[in-house]
Amino acid sequence: MTAIQALRGTKDILPTEIGYWQHVEATARQVLGRAAFREIRTPIFEQTELFARGIGEATDVVGKEMYTFTDRGDRSLTLRPEGTAGAVRAFVEHKLFAAGGPQRLWYCGPMFRYERPQAGRQRQFHQIGAELLGSGDARADVEAITVAVELLNHLGLKSLRMLLNSVGDRVDRTTYRAQLVDYLTPYFADLDPDSQDRLSRNPLRILDSKVATTQEICQEAPSILDALSPESAARFAKVQQALTDLGIAYQVDSRLVRGLDYYSHTAFEIQSDDLGAQATVCGGGRYDGLVSELGGPETPAVGWAIGMERLILLLQQLQPLTGDRVDFYVVSRGEQAEQQALKVAQVLRQGGFAVEMDLSASAFGKQFKRADRAGAAACVILGDAEAENGTVQLKWLASGHQEAIAQVDLAAKAEQFRQQISQ
C-alpha cells in the first residue's frame, strides 16, 4: 500500500528539533509573564464572520487564504488565520474589560492560511502573540514593542532591524487613500494583477507589494505621514521619542502597512537580514476599532505576533540544539534482571532523574553502545549475578569507572551524583 504523507504546507515537528520549539515557548512564557501578560487559549476554529468582520473582507487573508468549511449544523466555520481576532472575541464574550484597566493577554498556537509553502511559511504555521487591550496611551505601544524586542533579545537573535510607521486614524487613512488612488490610477496598466485588484478594494496594500515594477512605481507615491492630523503626528512623535529614550533602534518606513484592516496609528515590523525574502519575524501595531467592531465597548488596543517557524530558522542558524538529557541508562539481560530493571528505572525516575531503559534484550555490548549514543552519564547494569544478590553495577561512561552497589542504595548514590553536577 502507498504510504500516507503529511499534506503540502504542513510539517511534522520531530523529536530532533522539538527542543527549539520548547525553548522558544519557555522563553516567551518567562518574558511575557514578567511583563504581566497572562496566557489565553482560544479555539482553532471560529465562526467565519469573526474574521470577515475583524480582519476585513477586502484583505487577501479573508479573500484568498482562509480555510473555510460548512459544518453539519450548516454553519460557516474557519480555521483561525491569525490570533488577534479570537483573543478579542474572548475579551468581549467573557467581559474581561469589566475588571478595569488594561488587560495584557498572550497566546501561542497553530494558525492556518492557504499560501504557497516556502521556507519559514507553511499552511499550518505557529505564532506567539501578545495583546494589550484598554489603553490608548502611546506608552502602551512602546510597552508592547519593548516586550517583543526583549523576547527576541532573550533568544539571542542577531541582525535584527525594526521598521516603524503610523497609519493614522480612520480619517487620516481616508484622506491618504484618496491621495494614493489618485497617484496610482495613471499607472494602472503597469501594476501587477494583484495590485490592480487592490486599487479599488484595499489600495494601501499595494505599498506592500513584492513585485519589482510595482515597488518602483510606489517609490514616488505620497507618504501617509504627510496625511496625518496634528494629533496623529504628535502621537507618533511620542512613540518615537520613547523608543529612543529606551535605546531601541528603529527606522521610519512610511510605506510600511500591515496586511489586516484593523490597524490604526502605530504599525511596526521586526525583520532579520538572515531570512532572505521572508524577512519579517514579528509584526504588529495598534487596532483601536477592533473591539467595538466585534461587539464590545470602544476599547483601544495594541499587539503583535511572532512567526515561530521563521524564528526557529534563525535559532537553527545561531545555535546547535542540545539533545534531551539522559542521566542513567539501564541495561539488563536475563529474565529476573529484566524484571528488576523496571523497578530500578522507576526508583530513579521518581527521584527526578532522566532514565532510559534498554528493552532490546540484546547482548550487553550492543546495549552499552546505545547508552553512549543516548549521551547518558552512567549505565546501571543488571545481569544474573546482580539479580541474585540485589545489586547493580554502576558504570560512569565518561571515566569508565565501575562499582557495585546495593539496589537499595542506588537512590542515595544518584543523589550524590546530582549534588556533584550542581556544584
Side-chain angles (χ1 to χ4, degrees), residues 378-390:
C379 252
V380 180
I381 307 165
L382 290 98
D384 291 334
E386 289 77 22
E388 283 288 332
N389 57 30

Side-chain angles (χ1 to χ4, degrees), residues 92-106:
V92 173
E93 181 176 345
H94 301 287
K95 296 182 172 58
L96 300 185
F97 50 83
Q103 295 291 306
R104 294 169 171 85
L105 307 174
W106 77 276

Side-chain angles (χ1 to χ4, degrees), residues 161-338:
R161 66 180 180 277
M162 184 164 66
L163 305 180
L164 186 70
N165 193 26
S166 173
V167 295
D169 60 18
R170 191 180 299 274
V171 174
D172 300 333
R173 288 193 302 282
T174 299
T175 300
Y176 179 64
R177 177 185 173 122
Q179 295 174 357
L180 186 61
V181 170
D182 287 345
Y183 170 79
L184 291 173
T185 298
Y187 297 100
F188 182 83
D190 300 317
L191 296 173
D192 63 275
D194 282 343
S195 295
Q196 290 177 344
D197 179 57
R198 288 168 177 161
L199 187 60
S200 60
R201 297 188 303 110
N202 196 354
L204 269 68
R205 291 288 288 127
I206 297 175
L207 299 174
D208 197 37
S209 172
K210 301 299 185 288
V211 179
T213 53
T214 300
Q215 286 182 332
E216 186 176 345
I217 291 170
C218 290
Q219 288 288 341
E220 301 300 324
S223 169
I224 193 169
L225 297 177
D226 295 330
L228 297 181
S229 68
E231 294 77 15
S232 296
R235 190 184 191 288
F236 188 42
K238 286 183 180 180
V239 171
Q240 295 177 74
Q241 185 60 55
L243 290 172
T244 300
D245 291 344
L246 290 170
I248 297 176
Y250 65 90
Q251 55 191 93
V252 174
D253 181 355
S254 63
R255 291 194 296 154
L256 172 65
V257 294
R258 302 293 299 150
L260 310 179
D261 278 357
Y262 53 58
Y263 282 106
S264 60
H265 293 297
T266 304
F268 74 94
E269 288 186 358
I270 301 175
Q271 300 182 347
S272 169
D273 294 329
D274 298 325
L275 280 175
Q278 297 301 323
T280 301
V281 179
C282 173
R286 177 160 287 278
Y287 52 93
D288 288 348
L290 182 57
V291 177
S292 58
E293 179 67 32
L294 296 180
E298 291 286 343
T299 305
V302 61
W304 50 259
I306 290 175
M308 290 187 67
E309 280 80 2
R310 294 181 188 178
L311 189 59
I312 286 166
L313 281 177
L314 292 173
L315 289 179
Q316 289 172 332
Q317 297 173 26
L318 184 68
Q319 57 196 46
L321 177 65
T322 56
D324 293 335
R325 177 181 58 87
V326 175
D327 296 316
F328 298 101
Y329 193 96
V330 180
V331 304
S332 59
R333 188 164 172 79
E335 184 175 349
Q336 189 177 0
E338 289 168 1

